[in-house]
Amino acid sequence: MNFQEGITFIKNLPKSTSTLHGNLLKQGDLKILYPGYKGDSDYKIEMINGSVPTHYDICFEIYNSVDSSNYNSYIEFIEDVYNYGLNSTNNLNDDLKNLIYWVSLQEDINYPPPKKGRALAFCRYYEAILAKKGNLSLDFLKSRCNNHGRGVPALLKISDAPTFYK
C-alpha cells in the first residue's frame, strides 16, 4: 500500500466492517484504533504492548540500527519507504517499515498539502541517520522531533540529501 492508497483505505474504514474488529485494526506489532482524535479520517496508533510510538522513538530505533556498514543502506531504505510506503521493495527492516508507514501516513492525513505531511517526519528519520554519523546530537534531534507549536525546524545544510529533505 503506497501513501495515497493508505489515505483512501483509512477514509473508507467506516464502510469496511470486514476489515475492522470493533474499532481496531492490527498491522504487525501495531494496533490502529479508529477513529482518532481529529475525526473520522484520523486514527490512533499503539504498539501491541500498549505504548504509543513517537517520531523520536522511531528516530531512536533508526539511530540504534545504523552503523558504518549500513549507513547508506538506511538512507536508501528511508527514501524508498517515503516514495513507496509499504510497497517499498527495500526490506532492510520490515518491522521498522511498517511502523514508519503507519505513523507517517497519519501525518499525511492530518497535515495534507500544502503542509509538509509525512515529509516532516521523514526529515527527522533522515536526521537520525545523520546523528549516528555525528552530524548532530540525539538531544538536538529530540528537540527537533518535539517542537510542537514552535514551527517547522529549518533543514540542515546537506548537499546530497534525499529528495524529501528539501
Side-chain angles (χ1 to χ4, degrees), residues 3 7 30 43 45 53 55 58 78 81-82 85-86 96-111 116-123 125:
F3 285 95
I7 290 168
L30 300 175
Y43 56 92
I45 300 171
H55 293 298
I58 295 170
I78 295 296
V81 174
Y82 176 82
L86 292 177
L96 184 58
K97 180 195 315 186
N98 191 51
L99 178 61
I100 288 172
Y101 176 78
W102 288 105
V103 170
S104 60
L105 174 66
Q106 193 174 37
E107 298 299 325
D108 268 0
I109 290 169
N110 291 335
Y111 306 102
K116 297 274 284 176
R118 76 179 182 276
L120 188 58
F122 274 84
C123 287
Y125 305 154

PDB file of all heavy atoms in Angstrom, residues 3 7 30 43 45 53 55 58 78 81-82 85-86 96-111 116-123 125:
ATOM      1  N   PHE A   3       1.217   5.585  -0.040  1.00  0.00           N
ATOM      2  CA  PHE A   3       0.590   6.540   0.870  1.00  0.00           C
ATOM      3  C   PHE A   3      -0.786   6.986   0.385  1.00  0.00           C
ATOM      4  O   PHE A   3      -1.702   7.136   1.196  1.00  0.00           O
ATOM      5  CB  PHE A   3       1.527   7.728   1.125  1.00  0.00           C
ATOM      6  CG  PHE A   3       2.636   7.353   2.053  1.00  0.00           C
ATOM      7  CD1 PHE A   3       3.857   6.938   1.560  1.00  0.00           C
ATOM      8  CD2 PHE A   3       2.451   7.393   3.421  1.00  0.00           C
ATOM      9  CE1 PHE A   3       4.876   6.565   2.423  1.00  0.00           C
ATOM     10  CE2 PHE A   3       3.460   7.022   4.294  1.00  0.00           C
ATOM     11  CZ  PHE A   3       4.677   6.610   3.795  1.00  0.00           C
ATOM     12  N   ILE A   7      -4.266   6.479   2.520  1.00  0.00           N
ATOM     13  CA  ILE A   7      -5.228   7.537   2.848  1.00  0.00           C
ATOM     14  C   ILE A   7      -6.635   7.079   2.472  1.00  0.00           C
ATOM     15  O   ILE A   7      -7.578   7.203   3.258  1.00  0.00           O
ATOM     16  CB  ILE A   7      -4.850   8.859   2.143  1.00  0.00           C
ATOM     17  CG1 ILE A   7      -3.574   9.433   2.764  1.00  0.00           C
ATOM     18  CG2 ILE A   7      -5.994   9.862   2.225  1.00  0.00           C
ATOM     19  CD1 ILE A   7      -2.955  10.572   1.973  1.00  0.00           C
ATOM     20  N   LEU A  30       1.468  -3.418  15.531  1.00  0.00           N
ATOM     21  CA  LEU A  30       0.731  -2.178  15.785  1.00  0.00           C
ATOM     22  C   LEU A  30      -0.764  -2.436  15.887  1.00  0.00           C
ATOM     23  O   LEU A  30      -1.308  -3.302  15.208  1.00  0.00           O
ATOM     24  CB  LEU A  30       0.957  -1.181  14.644  1.00  0.00           C
ATOM     25  CG  LEU A  30       2.379  -0.738  14.394  1.00  0.00           C
ATOM     26  CD1 LEU A  30       2.432   0.155  13.168  1.00  0.00           C
ATOM     27  CD2 LEU A  30       2.937  -0.017  15.594  1.00  0.00           C
ATOM     28  N   TYR A  43      -6.686   8.270  13.004  1.00  0.00           N
ATOM     29  CA  TYR A  43      -6.598   7.051  13.799  1.00  0.00           C
ATOM     30  C   TYR A  43      -5.520   7.230  14.862  1.00  0.00           C
ATOM     31  O   TYR A  43      -4.700   8.134  14.791  1.00  0.00           O
ATOM     32  CB  TYR A  43      -6.315   5.839  12.924  1.00  0.00           C
ATOM     33  CG  TYR A  43      -5.065   5.938  12.070  1.00  0.00           C
ATOM     34  CD1 TYR A  43      -3.837   5.470  12.515  1.00  0.00           C
ATOM     35  CD2 TYR A  43      -5.121   6.494  10.800  1.00  0.00           C
ATOM     36  CE1 TYR A  43      -2.696   5.553  11.727  1.00  0.00           C
ATOM     37  CE2 TYR A  43      -3.999   6.581   9.992  1.00  0.00           C
ATOM     38  CZ  TYR A  43      -2.788   6.106  10.465  1.00  0.00           C
ATOM     39  OH  TYR A  43      -1.665   6.191   9.688  1.00  0.00           O
ATOM     40  N   ILE A  45      -2.464   5.163  17.065  1.00  0.00           N
ATOM     41  CA  ILE A  45      -1.574   4.015  16.930  1.00  0.00           C
ATOM     42  C   ILE A  45      -1.050   3.633  18.300  1.00  0.00           C
ATOM     43  O   ILE A  45      -0.642   4.485  19.085  1.00  0.00           O
ATOM     44  CB  ILE A  45      -0.384   4.345  16.015  1.00  0.00           C
ATOM     45  CG1 ILE A  45      -0.859   4.729  14.629  1.00  0.00           C
ATOM     46  CG2 ILE A  45       0.584   3.171  15.943  1.00  0.00           C
ATOM     47  CD1 ILE A  45       0.236   5.261  13.737  1.00  0.00           C
ATOM     48  N   PRO A  53       3.880   4.922  19.932  1.00  0.00           N
ATOM     49  CA  PRO A  53       5.159   5.292  19.314  1.00  0.00           C
ATOM     50  C   PRO A  53       5.189   6.768  18.926  1.00  0.00           C
ATOM     51  O   PRO A  53       4.208   7.310  18.430  1.00  0.00           O
ATOM     52  CB  PRO A  53       5.224   4.401  18.076  1.00  0.00           C
ATOM     53  CG  PRO A  53       3.795   4.110  17.743  1.00  0.00           C
ATOM     54  CD  PRO A  53       3.057   4.094  19.053  1.00  0.00           C
ATOM     55  N   HIS A  55       7.599  10.030  17.034  1.00  0.00           N
ATOM     56  CA  HIS A  55       8.611  10.203  15.984  1.00  0.00           C
ATOM     57  C   HIS A  55      10.009  10.033  16.577  1.00  0.00           C
ATOM     58  O   HIS A  55      10.883   9.444  15.939  1.00  0.00           O
ATOM     59  CB  HIS A  55       8.472  11.568  15.313  1.00  0.00           C
ATOM     60  CG  HIS A  55       7.214  11.699  14.523  1.00  0.00           C
ATOM     61  ND1 HIS A  55       6.924  10.900  13.429  1.00  0.00           N
ATOM     62  CD2 HIS A  55       6.160  12.525  14.659  1.00  0.00           C
ATOM     63  CE1 HIS A  55       5.756  11.227  12.941  1.00  0.00           C
ATOM     64  NE2 HIS A  55       5.254  12.217  13.669  1.00  0.00           N
ATOM     65  N   ILE A  58      10.915   6.404  16.885  1.00  0.00           N
ATOM     66  CA  ILE A  58      11.333   5.860  15.592  1.00  0.00           C
ATOM     67  C   ILE A  58      12.756   6.316  15.271  1.00  0.00           C
ATOM     68  O   ILE A  58      13.595   5.528  14.836  1.00  0.00           O
ATOM     69  CB  ILE A  58      10.351   6.264  14.485  1.00  0.00           C
ATOM     70  CG1 ILE A  58       8.985   5.624  14.743  1.00  0.00           C
ATOM     71  CG2 ILE A  58      10.883   5.870  13.100  1.00  0.00           C
ATOM     72  CD1 ILE A  58       7.871   6.134  13.851  1.00  0.00           C
ATOM     73  N   ILE A  78      15.020   4.580   3.934  1.00  0.00           N
ATOM     74  CA  ILE A  78      14.113   5.670   4.321  1.00  0.00           C
ATOM     75  C   ILE A  78      13.534   6.342   3.072  1.00  0.00           C
ATOM     76  O   ILE A  78      12.338   6.622   3.003  1.00  0.00           O
ATOM     77  CB  ILE A  78      14.853   6.701   5.204  1.00  0.00           C
ATOM     78  CG1 ILE A  78      15.279   6.066   6.532  1.00  0.00           C
ATOM     79  CG2 ILE A  78      14.016   7.947   5.435  1.00  0.00           C
ATOM     80  CD1 ILE A  78      14.147   5.630   7.413  1.00  0.00           C
ATOM     81  N   VAL A  81      10.919   3.981   1.430  1.00  0.00           N
ATOM     82  CA  VAL A  81       9.654   3.943   2.172  1.00  0.00           C
ATOM     83  C   VAL A  81       8.897   5.253   1.966  1.00  0.00           C
ATOM     84  O   VAL A  81       7.674   5.248   1.797  1.00  0.00           O
ATOM     85  CB  VAL A  81       9.883   3.644   3.669  1.00  0.00           C
ATOM     86  CG1 VAL A  81       8.583   3.748   4.460  1.00  0.00           C
ATOM     87  CG2 VAL A  81      10.507   2.262   3.855  1.00  0.00           C
ATOM     88  N   TYR A  82       9.598   6.376   1.946  1.00  0.00           N
ATOM     89  CA  TYR A  82       8.945   7.663   1.691  1.00  0.00           C
ATOM     90  C   TYR A  82       8.227   7.646   0.335  1.00  0.00           C
ATOM     91  O   TYR A  82       7.097   8.099   0.211  1.00  0.00           O
ATOM     92  CB  TYR A  82       9.968   8.801   1.715  1.00  0.00           C
ATOM     93  CG  TYR A  82       9.348  10.135   1.363  1.00  0.00           C
ATOM     94  CD1 TYR A  82       8.673  10.871   2.321  1.00  0.00           C
ATOM     95  CD2 TYR A  82       9.417  10.641   0.069  1.00  0.00           C
ATOM     96  CE1 TYR A  82       8.073  12.086   2.001  1.00  0.00           C
ATOM     97  CE2 TYR A  82       8.829  11.856  -0.260  1.00  0.00           C
ATOM     98  CZ  TYR A  82       8.161  12.566   0.710  1.00  0.00           C
ATOM     99  OH  TYR A  82       7.559  13.763   0.387  1.00  0.00           O
ATOM    100  N   GLY A  85       5.910   3.692   0.403  1.00  0.00           N
ATOM    101  CA  GLY A  85       5.165   3.175   1.549  1.00  0.00           C
ATOM    102  C   GLY A  85       5.427   1.696   1.766  1.00  0.00           C
ATOM    103  O   GLY A  85       6.565   1.225   1.640  1.00  0.00           O
ATOM    104  N   LEU A  86       4.374   0.948   2.045  1.00  0.00           N
ATOM    105  CA  LEU A  86       4.514  -0.496   2.260  1.00  0.00           C
ATOM    106  C   LEU A  86       4.834  -1.231   0.965  1.00  0.00           C
ATOM    107  O   LEU A  86       5.241  -2.395   1.001  1.00  0.00           O
ATOM    108  CB  LEU A  86       3.234  -1.074   2.879  1.00  0.00           C
ATOM    109  CG  LEU A  86       2.932  -0.629   4.300  1.00  0.00           C
ATOM    110  CD1 LEU A  86       1.595  -1.205   4.766  1.00  0.00           C
ATOM    111  CD2 LEU A  86       4.050  -1.019   5.255  1.00  0.00           C
ATOM    112  N   LEU A  96      10.353  -1.991  11.069  1.00  0.00           N
ATOM    113  CA  LEU A  96      10.525  -0.542  11.061  1.00  0.00           C
ATOM    114  C   LEU A  96       9.756   0.081   9.898  1.00  0.00           C
ATOM    115  O   LEU A  96       9.142   1.139  10.045  1.00  0.00           O
ATOM    116  CB  LEU A  96      12.011  -0.181  10.988  1.00  0.00           C
ATOM    117  CG  LEU A  96      12.362   1.290  11.074  1.00  0.00           C
ATOM    118  CD1 LEU A  96      11.850   1.914  12.373  1.00  0.00           C
ATOM    119  CD2 LEU A  96      13.878   1.466  10.956  1.00  0.00           C
ATOM    120  N   LYS A  97       9.752  -0.576   8.746  1.00  0.00           N
ATOM    121  CA  LYS A  97       8.984  -0.077   7.595  1.00  0.00           C
ATOM    122  C   LYS A  97       7.507   0.046   7.957  1.00  0.00           C
ATOM    123  O   LYS A  97       6.870   1.059   7.666  1.00  0.00           O
ATOM    124  CB  LYS A  97       9.142  -1.006   6.387  1.00  0.00           C
ATOM    125  CG  LYS A  97       8.376  -0.534   5.161  1.00  0.00           C
ATOM    126  CD  LYS A  97       8.202  -1.562   4.046  1.00  0.00           C
ATOM    127  CE  LYS A  97       9.371  -2.343   3.664  1.00  0.00           C
ATOM    128  NZ  LYS A  97       9.141  -3.212   2.473  1.00  0.00           N
ATOM    129  N   ASN A  98       6.955  -0.962   8.584  1.00  0.00           N
ATOM    130  CA  ASN A  98       5.550  -0.961   8.982  1.00  0.00           C
ATOM    131  C   ASN A  98       5.270   0.183   9.963  1.00  0.00           C
ATOM    132  O   ASN A  98       4.302   0.923   9.807  1.00  0.00           O
ATOM    133  CB  ASN A  98       5.185  -2.312   9.599  1.00  0.00           C
ATOM    134  CG  ASN A  98       3.712  -2.486   9.789  1.00  0.00           C
ATOM    135  OD1 ASN A  98       2.919  -2.282   8.879  1.00  0.00           O
ATOM    136  ND2 ASN A  98       3.318  -2.883  10.987  1.00  0.00           N
ATOM    137  N   LEU A  99       6.131   0.337  10.949  1.00  0.00           N
ATOM    138  CA  LEU A  99       5.963   1.396  11.945  1.00  0.00           C
ATOM    139  C   LEU A  99       6.050   2.777  11.289  1.00  0.00           C
ATOM    140  O   LEU A  99       5.185   3.634  11.507  1.00  0.00           O
ATOM    141  CB  LEU A  99       7.023   1.257  13.041  1.00  0.00           C
ATOM    142  CG  LEU A  99       7.020   2.313  14.136  1.00  0.00           C
ATOM    143  CD1 LEU A  99       5.702   2.314  14.899  1.00  0.00           C
ATOM    144  CD2 LEU A  99       8.195   2.062  15.085  1.00  0.00           C
ATOM    145  N   ILE A 100       7.072   2.995  10.483  1.00  0.00           N
ATOM    146  CA  ILE A 100       7.245   4.278   9.801  1.00  0.00           C
ATOM    147  C   ILE A 100       6.035   4.586   8.917  1.00  0.00           C
ATOM    148  O   ILE A 100       5.530   5.704   8.912  1.00  0.00           O
ATOM    149  CB  ILE A 100       8.548   4.291   8.969  1.00  0.00           C
ATOM    150  CG1 ILE A 100       9.761   4.373   9.892  1.00  0.00           C
ATOM    151  CG2 ILE A 100       8.553   5.432   7.963  1.00  0.00           C
ATOM    152  CD1 ILE A 100      11.089   4.192   9.180  1.00  0.00           C
ATOM    153  N   TYR A 101       5.582   3.593   8.192  1.00  0.00           N
ATOM    154  CA  TYR A 101       4.463   3.815   7.282  1.00  0.00           C
ATOM    155  C   TYR A 101       3.221   4.294   8.031  1.00  0.00           C
ATOM    156  O   TYR A 101       2.634   5.316   7.683  1.00  0.00           O
ATOM    157  CB  TYR A 101       4.141   2.531   6.498  1.00  0.00           C
ATOM    158  CG  TYR A 101       2.931   2.693   5.609  1.00  0.00           C
ATOM    159  CD1 TYR A 101       3.024   3.360   4.398  1.00  0.00           C
ATOM    160  CD2 TYR A 101       1.688   2.210   6.002  1.00  0.00           C
ATOM    161  CE1 TYR A 101       1.919   3.533   3.585  1.00  0.00           C
ATOM    162  CE2 TYR A 101       0.567   2.376   5.195  1.00  0.00           C
ATOM    163  CZ  TYR A 101       0.695   3.041   3.986  1.00  0.00           C
ATOM    164  OH  TYR A 101      -0.407   3.215   3.194  1.00  0.00           O
ATOM    165  N   TRP A 102       2.810   3.559   9.047  1.00  0.00           N
ATOM    166  CA  TRP A 102       1.560   3.887   9.728  1.00  0.00           C
ATOM    167  C   TRP A 102       1.645   5.184  10.515  1.00  0.00           C
ATOM    168  O   TRP A 102       0.676   5.950  10.567  1.00  0.00           O
ATOM    169  CB  TRP A 102       1.089   2.717  10.591  1.00  0.00           C
ATOM    170  CG  TRP A 102       0.587   1.607   9.718  1.00  0.00           C
ATOM    171  CD1 TRP A 102       1.219   0.437   9.428  1.00  0.00           C
ATOM    172  CD2 TRP A 102      -0.628   1.595   8.969  1.00  0.00           C
ATOM    173  NE1 TRP A 102       0.467  -0.302   8.542  1.00  0.00           N
ATOM    174  CE2 TRP A 102      -0.673   0.381   8.252  1.00  0.00           C
ATOM    175  CE3 TRP A 102      -1.685   2.482   8.833  1.00  0.00           C
ATOM    176  CZ2 TRP A 102      -1.733   0.032   7.417  1.00  0.00           C
ATOM    177  CZ3 TRP A 102      -2.757   2.135   8.005  1.00  0.00           C
ATOM    178  CH2 TRP A 102      -2.763   0.923   7.310  1.00  0.00           C
ATOM    179  N   VAL A 103       2.793   5.475  11.098  1.00  0.00           N
ATOM    180  CA  VAL A 103       2.953   6.738  11.828  1.00  0.00           C
ATOM    181  C   VAL A 103       2.989   7.912  10.849  1.00  0.00           C
ATOM    182  O   VAL A 103       2.342   8.939  11.068  1.00  0.00           O
ATOM    183  CB  VAL A 103       4.208   6.710  12.728  1.00  0.00           C
ATOM    184  CG1 VAL A 103       4.519   8.080  13.288  1.00  0.00           C
ATOM    185  CG2 VAL A 103       4.001   5.703  13.870  1.00  0.00           C
ATOM    186  N   SER A 104       3.714   7.776   9.755  1.00  0.00           N
ATOM    187  CA  SER A 104       3.827   8.905   8.820  1.00  0.00           C
ATOM    188  C   SER A 104       2.586   9.055   7.936  1.00  0.00           C
ATOM    189  O   SER A 104       2.269  10.169   7.508  1.00  0.00           O
ATOM    190  CB  SER A 104       5.101   8.799   7.988  1.00  0.00           C
ATOM    191  OG  SER A 104       5.121   7.622   7.232  1.00  0.00           O
ATOM    192  N   LEU A 105       1.855   7.976   7.679  1.00  0.00           N
ATOM    193  CA  LEU A 105       0.587   8.091   6.951  1.00  0.00           C
ATOM    194  C   LEU A 105      -0.363   8.999   7.727  1.00  0.00           C
ATOM    195  O   LEU A 105      -1.070   9.828   7.139  1.00  0.00           O
ATOM    196  CB  LEU A 105      -0.050   6.717   6.744  1.00  0.00           C
ATOM    197  CG  LEU A 105      -1.446   6.726   6.113  1.00  0.00           C
ATOM    198  CD1 LEU A 105      -1.386   7.234   4.675  1.00  0.00           C
ATOM    199  CD2 LEU A 105      -2.060   5.333   6.167  1.00  0.00           C
ATOM    200  N   GLN A 106      -0.347   8.873   9.016  1.00  0.00           N
ATOM    201  CA  GLN A 106      -1.184   9.720   9.866  1.00  0.00           C
ATOM    202  C   GLN A 106      -0.849  11.197   9.653  1.00  0.00           C
ATOM    203  O   GLN A 106      -1.730  12.050   9.662  1.00  0.00           O
ATOM    204  CB  GLN A 106      -0.973   9.306  11.322  1.00  0.00           C
ATOM    205  CG  GLN A 106      -1.977   9.856  12.278  1.00  0.00           C
ATOM    206  CD  GLN A 106      -1.781   9.273  13.661  1.00  0.00           C
ATOM    207  OE1 GLN A 106      -0.653   9.049  14.093  1.00  0.00           O
ATOM    208  NE2 GLN A 106      -2.863   9.023  14.351  1.00  0.00           N
ATOM    209  N   GLU A 107       0.415  11.501   9.423  1.00  0.00           N
ATOM    210  CA  GLU A 107       0.831  12.882   9.163  1.00  0.00           C
ATOM    211  C   GLU A 107       0.264  13.382   7.831  1.00  0.00           C
ATOM    212  O   GLU A 107      -0.161  14.525   7.724  1.00  0.00           O
ATOM    213  CB  GLU A 107       2.356  13.004   9.172  1.00  0.00           C
ATOM    214  CG  GLU A 107       3.004  12.648  10.482  1.00  0.00           C
ATOM    215  CD  GLU A 107       2.559  13.529  11.637  1.00  0.00           C
ATOM    216  OE1 GLU A 107       2.307  14.739  11.422  1.00  0.00           O
ATOM    217  OE2 GLU A 107       2.458  13.013  12.755  1.00  0.00           O
ATOM    218  N   ASP A 108       0.262  12.518   6.812  1.00  0.00           N
ATOM    219  CA  ASP A 108      -0.315  12.907   5.518  1.00  0.00           C
ATOM    220  C   ASP A 108      -1.812  13.170   5.633  1.00  0.00           C
ATOM    221  O   ASP A 108      -2.347  14.057   4.972  1.00  0.00           O
ATOM    222  CB  ASP A 108      -0.072  11.819   4.467  1.00  0.00           C
ATOM    223  CG  ASP A 108       1.197  12.026   3.672  1.00  0.00           C
ATOM    224  OD1 ASP A 108       1.920  13.013   3.921  1.00  0.00           O
ATOM    225  OD2 ASP A 108       1.479  11.198   2.779  1.00  0.00           O
ATOM    226  N   ILE A 109      -2.487  12.408   6.466  1.00  0.00           N
ATOM    227  CA  ILE A 109      -3.927  12.584   6.655  1.00  0.00           C
ATOM    228  C   ILE A 109      -4.212  13.869   7.438  1.00  0.00           C
ATOM    229  O   ILE A 109      -5.071  14.657   7.061  1.00  0.00           O
ATOM    230  CB  ILE A 109      -4.539  11.361   7.370  1.00  0.00           C
ATOM    231  CG1 ILE A 109      -4.514  10.157   6.424  1.00  0.00           C
ATOM    232  CG2 ILE A 109      -5.961  11.660   7.859  1.00  0.00           C
ATOM    233  CD1 ILE A 109      -4.847   8.833   7.082  1.00  0.00           C
ATOM    234  N   ASN A 110      -3.476  14.092   8.508  1.00  0.00           N
ATOM    235  CA  ASN A 110      -3.739  15.240   9.387  1.00  0.00           C
ATOM    236  C   ASN A 110      -3.164  16.553   8.861  1.00  0.00           C
ATOM    237  O   ASN A 110      -3.666  17.619   9.217  1.00  0.00           O
ATOM    238  CB  ASN A 110      -3.202  14.970  10.786  1.00  0.00           C
ATOM    239  CG  ASN A 110      -3.992  13.901  11.498  1.00  0.00           C
ATOM    240  OD1 ASN A 110      -5.154  13.663  11.197  1.00  0.00           O
ATOM    241  ND2 ASN A 110      -3.358  13.226  12.438  1.00  0.00           N
ATOM    242  N   TYR A 111      -2.124  16.491   8.043  1.00  0.00           N
ATOM    243  CA  TYR A 111      -1.470  17.695   7.541  1.00  0.00           C
ATOM    244  C   TYR A 111      -1.246  17.575   6.034  1.00  0.00           C
ATOM    245  O   TYR A 111      -0.109  17.506   5.562  1.00  0.00           O
ATOM    246  CB  TYR A 111      -0.149  17.930   8.283  1.00  0.00           C
ATOM    247  CG  TYR A 111      -0.330  17.948   9.774  1.00  0.00           C
ATOM    248  CD1 TYR A 111       0.012  16.847  10.552  1.00  0.00           C
ATOM    249  CD2 TYR A 111      -0.892  19.053  10.405  1.00  0.00           C
ATOM    250  CE1 TYR A 111      -0.188  16.855  11.928  1.00  0.00           C
ATOM    251  CE2 TYR A 111      -1.093  19.069  11.767  1.00  0.00           C
ATOM    252  CZ  TYR A 111      -0.743  17.968  12.523  1.00  0.00           C
ATOM    253  OH  TYR A 111      -0.952  17.978  13.886  1.00  0.00           O
ATOM    254  N   LYS A 116       3.478  19.986   5.262  1.00  0.00           N
ATOM    255  CA  LYS A 116       4.556  19.041   4.996  1.00  0.00           C
ATOM    256  C   LYS A 116       4.155  17.576   5.118  1.00  0.00           C
ATOM    257  O   LYS A 116       4.834  16.714   4.581  1.00  0.00           O
ATOM    258  CB  LYS A 116       5.735  19.314   5.923  1.00  0.00           C
ATOM    259  CG  LYS A 116       6.385  20.663   5.760  1.00  0.00           C
ATOM    260  CD  LYS A 116       7.420  20.746   4.721  1.00  0.00           C
ATOM    261  CE  LYS A 116       8.725  20.135   5.111  1.00  0.00           C
ATOM    262  NZ  LYS A 116       9.665  20.156   4.019  1.00  0.00           N
ATOM    263  N   GLY A 117       3.077  17.245   5.851  1.00  0.00           N
ATOM    264  CA  GLY A 117       2.662  15.856   5.982  1.00  0.00           C
ATOM    265  C   GLY A 117       3.797  14.946   6.396  1.00  0.00           C
ATOM    266  O   GLY A 117       4.576  15.265   7.285  1.00  0.00           O
ATOM    267  N   ARG A 118       3.920  13.802   5.716  1.00  0.00           N
ATOM    268  CA  ARG A 118       4.926  12.805   6.085  1.00  0.00           C
ATOM    269  C   ARG A 118       6.349  13.299   5.861  1.00  0.00           C
ATOM    270  O   ARG A 118       7.279  12.807   6.496  1.00  0.00           O
ATOM    271  CB  ARG A 118       4.682  11.497   5.358  1.00  0.00           C
ATOM    272  CG  ARG A 118       5.083  11.481   3.902  1.00  0.00           C
ATOM    273  CD  ARG A 118       4.816  10.112   3.274  1.00  0.00           C
ATOM    274  NE  ARG A 118       5.231  10.043   1.908  1.00  0.00           N
ATOM    275  CZ  ARG A 118       4.509  10.443   0.865  1.00  0.00           C
ATOM    276  NH1 ARG A 118       3.308  10.968   1.058  1.00  0.00           N
ATOM    277  NH2 ARG A 118       4.978  10.323  -0.362  1.00  0.00           N
ATOM    278  N   ALA A 119       6.551  14.274   4.976  1.00  0.00           N
ATOM    279  CA  ALA A 119       7.917  14.750   4.697  1.00  0.00           C
ATOM    280  C   ALA A 119       8.583  15.257   5.966  1.00  0.00           C
ATOM    281  O   ALA A 119       9.779  15.030   6.167  1.00  0.00           O
ATOM    282  CB  ALA A 119       7.892  15.835   3.634  1.00  0.00           C
ATOM    283  N   LEU A 120       7.840  15.917   6.829  1.00  0.00           N
ATOM    284  CA  LEU A 120       8.419  16.437   8.066  1.00  0.00           C
ATOM    285  C   LEU A 120       8.937  15.292   8.941  1.00  0.00           C
ATOM    286  O   LEU A 120      10.043  15.358   9.475  1.00  0.00           O
ATOM    287  CB  LEU A 120       7.385  17.272   8.815  1.00  0.00           C
ATOM    288  CG  LEU A 120       7.868  18.043  10.026  1.00  0.00           C
ATOM    289  CD1 LEU A 120       8.997  18.994   9.659  1.00  0.00           C
ATOM    290  CD2 LEU A 120       6.709  18.814  10.638  1.00  0.00           C
ATOM    291  N   ALA A 121       8.140  14.228   9.058  1.00  0.00           N
ATOM    292  CA  ALA A 121       8.575  13.070   9.841  1.00  0.00           C
ATOM    293  C   ALA A 121       9.807  12.417   9.202  1.00  0.00           C
ATOM    294  O   ALA A 121      10.773  12.072   9.898  1.00  0.00           O
ATOM    295  CB  ALA A 121       7.436  12.062   9.956  1.00  0.00           C
ATOM    296  N   PHE A 122       9.791  12.269   7.892  1.00  0.00           N
ATOM    297  CA  PHE A 122      10.918  11.632   7.212  1.00  0.00           C
ATOM    298  C   PHE A 122      12.190  12.468   7.319  1.00  0.00           C
ATOM    299  O   PHE A 122      13.293  11.919   7.337  1.00  0.00           O
ATOM    300  CB  PHE A 122      10.569  11.322   5.761  1.00  0.00           C
ATOM    301  CG  PHE A 122       9.870  10.007   5.602  1.00  0.00           C
ATOM    302  CD1 PHE A 122       8.501   9.912   5.794  1.00  0.00           C
ATOM    303  CD2 PHE A 122      10.574   8.860   5.294  1.00  0.00           C
ATOM    304  CE1 PHE A 122       7.839   8.702   5.660  1.00  0.00           C
ATOM    305  CE2 PHE A 122       9.930   7.641   5.166  1.00  0.00           C
ATOM    306  CZ  PHE A 122       8.562   7.562   5.348  1.00  0.00           C
ATOM    307  N   CYS A 123      12.057  13.776   7.404  1.00  0.00           N
ATOM    308  CA  CYS A 123      13.236  14.624   7.633  1.00  0.00           C
ATOM    309  C   CYS A 123      13.885  14.262   8.960  1.00  0.00           C
ATOM    310  O   CYS A 123      15.105  14.157   9.057  1.00  0.00           O
ATOM    311  CB  CYS A 123      12.848  16.099   7.606  1.00  0.00           C
ATOM    312  SG  CYS A 123      12.467  16.716   5.951  1.00  0.00           S
ATOM    313  N   TYR A 125      13.617  11.337  10.487  1.00  0.00           N
ATOM    314  CA  TYR A 125      14.178   9.983  10.375  1.00  0.00           C
ATOM    315  C   TYR A 125      15.541  10.023   9.684  1.00  0.00           C
ATOM    316  O   TYR A 125      16.477   9.328  10.091  1.00  0.00           O
ATOM    317  CB  TYR A 125      13.217   9.050   9.623  1.00  0.00           C
ATOM    318  CG  TYR A 125      11.821   8.983  10.204  1.00  0.00           C
ATOM    319  CD1 TYR A 125      10.736   8.658   9.411  1.00  0.00           C
ATOM    320  CD2 TYR A 125      11.563   9.269  11.549  1.00  0.00           C
ATOM    321  CE1 TYR A 125       9.446   8.595   9.926  1.00  0.00           C
ATOM    322  CE2 TYR A 125      10.280   9.217  12.076  1.00  0.00           C
ATOM    323  CZ  TYR A 125       9.232   8.882  11.257  1.00  0.00           C
ATOM    324  OH  TYR A 125       7.958   8.822  11.765  1.00  0.00           O
TER     325      TYR A 125
END
